[in-house]
Amino acid sequence: MFPPPVSRQSVVPDDANPFTHAYQDVIVYESADPDDVLYEGPIVVHANGWLELEGNRLLSPSAVHHIDIYDDEPDPATRSDERTDQGGSDTGNDADRTDEYGF
């Protein structure tokens, strides 16, 4: 009936946490250099700043320089940085792709 005393599952459902945001298409950078990509793909941003990646992996907020979010773009080929050679430059400060935290 109740989860075990030690569990990876939360007793609070995801719908009850308004500070958790899920994104489907992001690029996480280690530094301002566009070649320092830490991760590409879906993430969940938790209220404490930690990023949950695929496979239940966590990424510390101190390891992240910035995140580019591409959820609003219908086709990955329309990205402004054209990341075919991992050498694009996008600061992530465009008003149409940032949320209230500057991501």
Side-chain angles (χ1 to χ4, degrees), residues 2-15:
F2 290 104
V6 178
S7 174
R8 294 184 66 122
Q9 295 178 335
S10 174
V11 294
V12 179
D14 290 336
D15 298 347

Side-chain angles (χ1 to χ4, degrees), residues 29-86:
Y29 294 93
E30 180 180 6
S31 69
D33 184 15
D35 292 332
D36 289 338
V37 175
L38 283 174
Y39 176 77
E40 293 184 45
I43 63 169
V44 175
V45 181
H46 293 280
N48 61 3
W50 283 75
L51 304 177
E52 185 175 343
L53 311 177
E54 291 177 310
N56 291 327
R57 295 179 295 161
L58 295 174
L59 188 60
S60 167
S62 63
V64 175
H65 182 269
H66 70 280
I67 301 172
D68 289 340
I69 301 172
Y70 297 102
D71 281 355
D72 295 336
E73 296 182 14
D75 183 19
T78 62
R79 291 183 180 174
S80 60
D81 62 353
E82 297 294 323
R83 297 193 46 81
T84 57
D85 63 350
Q86 300 288 330

